[in-house]
Amino acid sequence: MRSSRVWHPFTQHALEAPMRRVLKTEGAFLFDEDGRRIFDAISSWWVITHGHRHPVIMNSIRKASDQFDQVIFAEFTHEPAEALAEGLIDLSPRGLQHVFFSDSGSTAVEVAIKMALGTFHNRDIKRNRIVVMEDAYHGDTIGAMSVGARGIFNAPFEPLLFGVERIPFPEAEHEQISLDAFEASCRSGKTAAILIEPLIVGAGGMKPYSPSILHELRAIARRYGCLFIADEVMTGWGRTGTLFACEQADVKPDILCTSKGLTGGSLPLAATLCTEDVFEAHLSQDRRKTFFHSSSYTANPIACAAAVANLSVWNDEPVRARLAALSDMHTHHLRRFAGDPRFANVRKCGTIAALDLNVSSGGYLAEVGPRMRKLFRERGLLIRPLGNVIYLMPPYCTAAAELALAYDAIDEVASEIIRERAP
Ligand code: PMP
């Protein structure tokens, strides 16, 4: 085994086997150095939408790299960024008018928080409270961790994370509690923004909630002049069955964060979209009101060209029909687990399917997580359960037969784990 100096993300190197090298990606698959073909059932951390190396996107990258590398984005603009901004505005919920580029989901969220706080600051309004949902995940930079759930992931930094207000997750039948909590916070007059993962809490356990609650939260925010920030980093680009999740609740956010599937998963890029009002709050003869955020690789032209190509895939190919077909396949396969005592909370949100393995110790650190991962890998599948939560979020090119094999593997792996844990 070759040794490696690479420190991998979310990896306890003292416990994990050395990483296998991936030699190639194609469609729904990774091909590794052992000659294995692995079904990427979680779209490589939710970024791959249409499939690995979609030809239209890869051609666009090749073409753009004949013309561009990085171009400073404070002095100049370029066609890929301009075309992308226009295209994004066309496809996004109405009311979003301006596009700020960055390079990851976490930075898209940081930008959103700064835009919201800057809007009130520049208008001399004393509002700086941010409301989030329990169990939320918004990224791993310090600001993004502050607005996310607290726990083992951020315990060492906890004393330095800024305080936010949390409303309960809107459990079915108890949703009013969340709405009331948000309204109470708004009544204080100090709330600047609510930041929310629309329709489904992702890394916090793949927990969907009703579109009507999303709609209600938006209505409350509007009533109290509080900015509504949709973190569509995971939900965007078709995952929940529509291009953006907000569409299903007829929600028009003030600020929207997108990344992951923005380039079809081919290159890192993020965008934070905002209304005219948010943009105007930063427009002034007074330079102190400038939006002071940048990163060196802002609006990388090659990544922007990849995203423009992704928009053309959405326009030219039957992507929505593929989402519907994938969603129907999940419904069909999940049926076999309904009422199965090995599982709880069998659920689906568009192209995302999830179910909890009924084992006593839950939580992300539960040993069943890594054990299941290993058993799935032995069966040629990349699935990374969140503790005892098994989920599938495959690329949209996934063939019916491949998905059926993944569900067979879930069936087998669940039985094996339960057998192993039997007294
Ligand atoms: N927001 C949400 C809802 C996410 O799911 C993620 C990543 N899983 C992020 C933000 C952070 O994105 P990134 O990992 O690209 O920084």
Side-chain angles (χ1 to χ4, degrees):
M1 193 73 67
R2 283 174 289 185
S3 68
S4 170
R5 294 180 185 278
V6 178
W7 191 346
H8 288 265
F10 268 67
T11 299
Q12 180 41 268
H13 283 280
L15 295 171
E16 297 287 335
M19 300 274 171
R20 310 310 298 144
R21 284 171 200 229
V22 167
L23 304 184
K24 188 181 153 172
T25 62
E26 186 152 1
F29 300 100
L30 310 175
F31 296 84
D32 79 2
E33 60 183 322
D34 304 319
R36 287 211 178 87
R37 190 182 81 150
I38 300 150
F39 173 38
D40 188 353
I42 57 163
S43 299
S44 279
W45 259 344
W46 322 343
V47 303
I48 302 297
T49 48
H50 316 294
H52 285 276
R53 292 199 302 118
H54 188 292
V56 171
I57 297 174
M58 301 317 281
N59 279 337
S60 172
I61 292 172
R62 256 177 240 117
K63 210 165 140 229
S65 68
D66 280 340
Q67 200 179 340
F68 294 111
D69 47 12
Q70 177 64 20
V71 178
I72 183 171
F73 208 57
E75 287 292 307
F76 295 101
T77 190
H78 45 70
E79 183 53 27
E82 293 295 333
L84 178 55
E86 288 294 335
L88 271 176
I89 296 296
D90 281 349
L91 286 173
S92 304
R94 278 226 317 281
L96 297 167
Q97 296 288 339
H98 297 270
V99 180
F100 191 96
F101 290 109
S102 61
D103 26 48
S104 72
S106 302
T107 55
V109 167
E110 298 278 351
V111 166
I113 295 168
K114 288 172 69 172
M115 276 181 181
L117 296 178
T119 294
F120 290 103
H121 176 86
N122 286 353
R123 290 181 171 154
D124 276 332
I125 301 170
K126 296 231 169 322
R127 285 199 190 205
N128 54 21
R129 187 180 289 172
I130 294 174
V131 174
V132 299
M133 201 180 267
E134 249 175 20
D135 298 330
Y137 178 83
H138 296 289
D140 276 344
T141 50
I142 295 282
M145 280 193 293
S146 297
V147 290
R150 304 291 159 88
I152 47 154
F153 306 105
N154 43 45
F157 329 111
E158 155 71 38
L160 296 180
L161 301 183
F162 59 78
V164 292
E165 213 161 282
R166 293 168 202 280
I167 59 169
F169 175 83
E171 299 286 356
E173 318 280 320
H174 303 283
E175 290 116 328
Q176 193 59 42
I177 301 172
S178 311
L179 298 178
D180 290 346
F182 180 43
E183 185 145 17
S185 169
C186 286
R187 263 195 229 108
S188 71
K190 297 196 180 115
T191 300
I194 179 165
L195 166 61
I196 213 134
E197 292 167 90
L199 288 194
I200 178 167
V201 163
M206 296 297 161
K207 300 200 299 186
Y209 60 93
S210 150
S212 64
I213 298 308
L214 185 63
H215 190 87
E216 274 303 304
L217 290 169
R218 204 294 166 245
I220 296 170
R222 196 184 296 287
R223 206 149 59 234
Y224 290 90
C226 159
L227 295 173
F228 189 93
I229 308 173
D231 176 356
E232 292 253 19
V233 169
M234 180 195 88
T235 51
W237 305 103
R239 294 292 177 206
T240 70
T242 43
L243 199 157
F244 287 115
C246 282
E247 291 168 35
Q248 292 179 52
D250 193 22
V251 159
K252 297 170 185 64
D254 296 294
I255 300 176
L256 182 146
C257 310
T258 180
S259 184
K260 293 192 188 274
L262 172 57
T263 60
S266 60
L267 285 174
L269 184 68
T272 307
L273 281 62
C274 71
T275 58
E276 194 63 48
D277 186 56
V278 170
F279 182 74
E280 266 182 9
H282 294 82
L283 216 51
S284 171
Q285 299 304 310
D286 180 353
R287 286 185 188 277
R288 284 173 301 183
K289 295 191 175 176
T290 304
F291 187 58
F292 289 114
H293 189 96
S294 80
S295 52
S296 313
Y297 285 104
T298 296
N300 175 269
I302 302 170
C304 287
V308 172
N310 174 44
L311 299 189
S312 74
V313 172
W314 274 86
N315 282 325
D316 302 342
E317 295 187 18
V319 180
R320 288 168 181 84
R322 287 177 198 145
L323 303 179
L326 183 51
S327 172
D328 288 348
M329 286 194 276
H330 279 317
T331 304
H332 166 76
H333 289 294
L334 286 172
R335 234 174 253 142
R336 85 200 237 195
F337 298 126
D340 185 328
R342 295 173 301 167
F343 300 103
N345 303 323
V346 177
R347 56 201 185 272
K348 194 198 75 165
C349 180
T351 71
I352 308 167
L355 62 179
D356 303 348
L357 186 65
N358 248 335
V359 287
S360 46
S361 71
Y364 185 86
L365 288 189
E367 274 311 306
V368 290
R371 179 72 187 134
M372 282 197 277
R373 236 171 62 213
K374 183 160 182 291
L375 294 172
F376 283 126
R377 276 291 287 281
E378 286 169 11
R379 288 163 175 76
L381 280 156
L382 173 65
I383 297 182
R384 290 175 58 93
L386 302 158
N388 66 331
V389 178
I390 304 168
Y391 72 89
L392 299 176
M393 201 189 296
Y396 311 148
C397 64
T398 298
E402 208 56 49
L403 195 68
L405 287 176
Y407 277 99
D408 287 346
I410 290 175
D411 202 332
E412 283 173 31
V413 166
S415 290
E416 190 153 342
I417 296 274
I418 286 167
R419 226 180 2 258
E420 285 174 2
R421 292 168 68 98

